[in-house]
Amino acid sequence: MELLRKWLGHPEDIYNLLRFKMGGYRTVMPRMDTNSLGCGLRICYRYLNQTSRSFAAVIQALDGELRHAVCIFYLVLRALDTVEDDMSIPLDVKVPMLHEFHSHLYQPDWKYTESKEKDRQVLEDFPTISMEFRNLSKVYQDVISDICHKMGVGMAEFLEKKVDSQREWDKYCHYVAGLVGIGLSRLFSASELEDAIVGQDTELANSMGLFLQKTNIIRDYLEDQLEGREFWPREVWSRYAKKLSDLAKPENIDVAVQCLNELITNALHHVPDVLTYLSRLKNQSVFNFCAIPQVMAIATLAACYNNQQVFRGVVKIRKGQAVTLMMDATNIQAVKAIMYQYVEEIYQKIPSTDPSSNKTQQVIASIRALSLPGSPMASRHHYSPIYLSCAMLLAALSWQYLSTLSKATEEYVPAGEN
């Protein structure tokens, strides 16, 4: 019955889940025909689907040769990330591997067969990935190799040091996500699907990555603690606790939430850059690829803001909510309306006693100025009484079916990936 109450509280979720499953997802993420691909590319797309539930579908929906370039870019960085994550590799071996990893793209036989990580197949069969990399146009190769090199150096830098200051937090997020945003932007421009300025404005592209990475780090506090990882900046959490792990203690829940709110406020400062970046995009497949993760991120931050559950379990947006965001976020006015909706939700939850309340209100004011609703999408959640009645009746009759349906959409709905 808890699921039924959830559907009744959000009737639009029912409509959009049904619309999505009955073919609506094809407009956002059309299926790619892999039969026409060569053996190596087919293998690469298989690895893509095996290693990424979040990005596989949106990558395969990209237009033209950009699709293959982004697929290979993802797999190269996934292989690099697998080396970084593998705790069985000694540091004196791992650091040189990270520094030199980009050079393996031009070594047809290089592979690594000793990894214990779940995604080790991208290292064990790296020759297939590197072969398809070398089959790409040189303009794509140059971008991928350059970003891989810079990311490897950055990952090595943070292997032996923790994230202390907020400046270092930005630097770490730049290495693991901002560089991805910059690399993708350069690929978009190289494909000529987007203007040159998209790839040249590295500050905006960096913000795209930082917003997503900070959202993941904020949301994943408890999971990271349980696995012995710490990504929250000491400069912030040390004002609230002696150790980062202390924030999970019940007696510290009030200061823990204040720390959480400060970090969310920090992440929100990237939203104006996100909106400016998205406003420059012309190609629909590129826009969808970029916009969907960003609206998922703002919805996640709204769910996490002032929420004690971040320190007790997992905070996720509803499946139907995710589907609604995916199907709505197809143009800049719609994205602005979505951003406006969720920053207003955060604004309504700001405690007057919160130490960051003034800063939170200020950054929300700047986002409001860029995303004031001026299109029909701004009222996207205003449904007629007849529709609401029908939707509630449908929920009452179909909640068991929809429970199964929501699980089925996991194949298409992006989930957070670091």
Side-chain angles (χ1 to χ4, degrees):
M1 294 304 292
E2 178 62 30
L3 180 62
L4 176 58
R5 284 193 291 271
K6 184 188 295 186
W7 295 125
L8 289 172
H10 302 277
E12 70 277 11
D13 288 359
I14 304 166
Y15 173 73
N16 284 311
L17 272 170
L18 287 170
R19 188 161 62 105
F20 187 81
K21 188 60 179 175
M22 293 174 69
Y25 62 87
R26 299 291 189 201
T27 62
V28 181
M29 291 180 290
R31 287 290 194 191
M32 184 185 71
D33 179 17
T34 58
N35 293 329
S36 61
L37 302 178
C39 179
L41 268 178
R42 282 202 304 272
I43 291 172
C44 286
Y45 279 104
R46 186 172 78 238
Y47 291 155
L48 175 67
N49 283 288
Q50 289 172 350
T51 57
S52 174
R53 195 181 70 190
S54 299
F55 298 119
V58 286
I59 287 174
Q60 291 172 87
L62 287 168
D63 289 340
E65 62 182 15
L66 176 62
R67 177 191 306 138
H68 301 328
V70 174
C71 173
I72 300 305
F73 185 42
Y74 176 88
L75 292 177
V76 168
L77 298 188
R78 173 57 64 193
L80 179 67
D81 190 58
T82 301
V83 171
E84 183 204 25
D85 287 343
D86 195 332
M87 302 304 291
S88 69
I89 305 175
L91 280 182
D92 61 341
V93 175
K94 184 183 292 189
V95 170
M97 281 184 71
L98 293 173
H99 277 275
E100 299 165 8
F101 197 87
H102 68 290
S103 67
H104 302 319
L105 292 167
Y106 298 97
Q107 298 168 1
D109 298 326
W110 186 89
K111 60 184 175 181
Y112 186 74
T113 59
E114 299 176 31
S115 176
K116 305 297 188 295
E117 291 293 299
K118 61 181 177 63
D119 293 331
R120 59 186 175 273
Q121 71 265 35
V122 295
L123 290 171
E124 293 172 347
D125 192 19
F126 198 74
T128 296
I129 297 170
S130 67
M131 176 184 69
E132 292 304 329
F133 163 82
R134 293 188 299 277
N135 285 338
L136 295 172
S137 299
K138 187 177 184 300
V139 67
Y140 296 132
Q141 290 184 37
D142 290 346
V143 172
I144 295 171
S145 177
D146 180 53
I147 296 298
C148 182
H149 185 199
K150 290 175 179 175
M151 186 176 290
V153 171
M155 286 177 168
E157 178 182 336
F158 278 91
L159 281 177
E160 299 184 272
K161 74 175 186 180
K162 293 183 180 294
V163 178
D164 285 330
S165 67
Q166 293 186 67
R167 182 184 295 273
E168 285 182 333
W169 197 37
D170 281 357
K171 189 176 183 181
Y172 170 77
C173 290
H174 164 74
Y175 282 139
V176 300
L179 282 172
V180 179
I182 291 170
L184 286 169
S185 300
R186 289 169 62 187
L187 292 177
F188 299 157
S189 294
S191 73
E192 299 185 353
L193 293 176
E194 297 297 343
D195 292 336
I197 187 62
V198 173
Q200 293 167 354
D201 196 333
T202 56
E203 184 175 346
L204 293 188
N206 188 59
S207 280
M208 293 283 285
L210 263 61
F211 185 59
L212 299 182
Q213 186 67 19
K214 287 181 178 182
T215 298
N216 288 340
I217 288 173
I218 290 166
R219 178 200 60 199
D220 294 341
Y221 164 84
L222 192 59
E223 177 184 334
D224 287 337
Q225 281 292 301
L226 295 174
E227 296 188 13
R229 300 189 298 256
E230 293 191 353
F231 298 113
W232 284 25
R234 178 187 295 271
E235 180 184 344
V236 175
W237 64 255
S238 63
R239 293 198 288 267
Y240 301 92
K242 292 183 178 179
K243 295 186 298 182
L244 182 56
S245 58
D246 288 344
L247 296 179
K249 296 178 179 178
E251 62 269 24
N252 294 329
I253 193 61
D254 290 339
V255 293
V257 169
Q258 291 175 355
C259 181
L260 168 71
N261 291 347
E262 182 172 347
L263 289 180
I264 290 176
T265 300
N266 176 295
L268 289 174
H269 280 88
H270 298 293
V271 173
D273 279 355
V274 167
L275 292 174
T276 302
Y277 180 98
L278 293 175
S279 69
R280 290 176 173 172
L281 301 180
K282 302 183 302 182
N283 179 270
Q284 188 65 57
S285 72
V286 172
F287 187 90
N288 294 346
F289 177 89
C290 295
I292 289 172
Q294 301 295 331
V295 296
M296 297 288 185
I298 192 66
T300 299
L301 289 183
C304 289
Y305 186 82
N306 210 48
N307 189 347
Q308 298 179 1
Q309 186 62 22
V310 172
F311 304 95
R312 295 171 177 167
V314 180
V315 175
K316 291 183 178 181
I317 60 177
R318 303 180 311 277
K319 194 73 62 180
Q321 182 183 6
V323 166
T324 297
L325 291 171
M326 288 173 61
M327 299 189 72
D328 282 355
T330 57
N331 61 79
I332 188 59
Q333 290 306 318
V335 170
K336 287 182 177 181
I338 291 168
M339 292 290 187
Y340 186 91
Q341 171 193 337
Y342 285 109
V343 296
E344 285 301 302
E345 184 177 313
I346 292 172
Y347 185 83
Q348 296 301 320
K349 295 193 290 186
I350 299 175
S352 59
T353 57
D354 190 272
S356 303
S357 60
N358 287 338
K359 290 182 178 179
T360 310
Q361 290 168 356
Q362 288 170 7
V363 69
I364 287 177
S366 68
I367 297 170
R368 280 173 172 162
L370 286 173
S371 59
L372 286 173
S375 71
M377 289 303 301
S379 58
R380 51 195 265 281
H381 291 306
H382 294 171
Y383 296 91
S384 70
I386 293 177
Y387 166 74
L388 290 173
S389 299
C390 292
M392 292 175 71
L393 177 60
L394 180 60
L397 294 174
S398 309
W399 71 277
Q400 283 185 318
Y401 166 71
L402 288 167
S403 175
T404 304
L405 179 60
S406 68
K407 293 178 182 177
T409 60
E410 290 185 4
E411 178 184 355
Y412 306 102
V413 177
E417 282 186 16
N418 289 323

